[in-house]
Amino acid sequence: MTRASLDKQPHEVASMFDDVAANYDLTNDVLSLGQDRRWRKEVAKAVDARPAQRILDLAAGTATSSQPFARAGAYVVPCDFSLGMLQVGKKRHPWMPFTAGDGMRLPFRDDVFDAVTISFGLRNIQDTEAALRELYRVTKPGGRVVICEFSHPTWAPFRTVYEEYLMRALPSVARAVSSNPDAYVYLAESIQSWPDQPTLAGMLGKAGWSKVAWRNLTGGIVALHRGFKA
């Protein structure tokens, strides 16, 4: 079993997700108290996939996040650098075009996708700014990015309780349901060290995205960022 370090070496992160692939979706459901389902519905609304559109779902894992786009009639490419995740996903959804790829060097041409999205994966990529530039590169002019990521609760008392849960309760719960509970210690630490909402918005703007905005979900535990390619 492995756990990645906070310098996010790609081979460490990929190996860690390989270890947790089999029970990943169940574990997320338990650890988020079912909130992950609501968050994914909000992502689907923000992406607003339409028939015949091309959608890139980066860090898609087993492609649970890709299903709403496929049901809307879009052509969805689930992309991830964990081969273990892709293998589990391919067994569940054999018709989908799973693609192995590094978020810092995406294996796609320029200006390919109508929308690009990444849920709970951006903070696991070693160079966030490089990933945002790559997402921009592969998006068509007029296309959009939607990022769903853990963030910082806006109400101080709630933030204190939340951080206590992250560092104490989350690893304990993970031990009961995950094949690699140490991975969730890394995930808790990576959430704590992640930039706040305005900082991530600034990084999107620096990468070229325009009309950048965000809104908080569940009091800021999660933030949904959006931007457009001019």
Side-chain angles (χ1 to χ4, degrees), residues 17-129:
F17 279 102
D18 289 346
D19 285 344
V20 301
N23 295 323
Y24 184 71
D25 294 319
L26 170 63
T27 304
N28 285 346
D29 207 24
V30 171
L31 293 177
S32 71
L33 306 178
Q35 286 294 299
D36 63 315
R37 299 180 191 182
R38 176 182 166 239
W39 299 333
R40 293 191 189 282
K41 287 180 182 178
E42 294 301 321
V43 172
K45 290 179 186 176
V47 171
D48 192 25
R50 304 293 176 87
Q53 285 187 336
R54 289 178 175 267
I55 311 290
L56 171 62
D57 188 10
L58 183 58
T62 61
T64 297
S65 57
S66 305
Q67 300 313 303
F69 315 133
R71 287 195 293 269
Y75 177 80
V76 191
V77 178
C79 181
D80 204 288
F81 68 173
S82 165
L83 296 181
M85 286 284 196
L86 295 175
Q87 288 166 356
V88 172
K90 193 67 175 176
K91 289 178 182 177
R92 296 177 184 174
H93 313 291
W95 63 90
M96 300 199 78
F98 286 88
T99 303
D102 183 341
M104 297 183 291
R105 293 176 295 276
L106 291 172
F108 307 108
R109 299 189 309 274
D110 296 355
D111 306 330
V112 172
F113 296 100
D114 297 283
V116 294
T117 183
I118 180 169
S119 294
F120 309 111
L122 186 60
R123 75 182 190 286
N124 296 318
I125 298 176
Q126 187 177 37
D127 188 335
T128 304
E129 293 184 347

Side-chain angles (χ1 to χ4, degrees), residues 1-6 12-13 15-20 24 27 31 123-124 166-191:
M1 296 298 180
T2 66
R3 69 156 279 192
S5 55
L6 283 178
E12 290 182 353
V13 178
S15 179
M16 183 190 73
F17 279 102
D18 289 346
D19 285 344
V20 301
Y24 184 71
T27 304
L31 293 177
R123 75 182 190 286
N124 296 318
L166 276 180
M167 299 313 299
R168 295 183 183 274
L170 186 149
S172 297
V173 175
R175 274 192 286 274
V177 295
S178 172
S179 56
N180 183 4
D182 284 345
Y184 289 86
V185 177
Y186 155 79
L187 291 173
E189 292 172 350
S190 71
I191 291 168

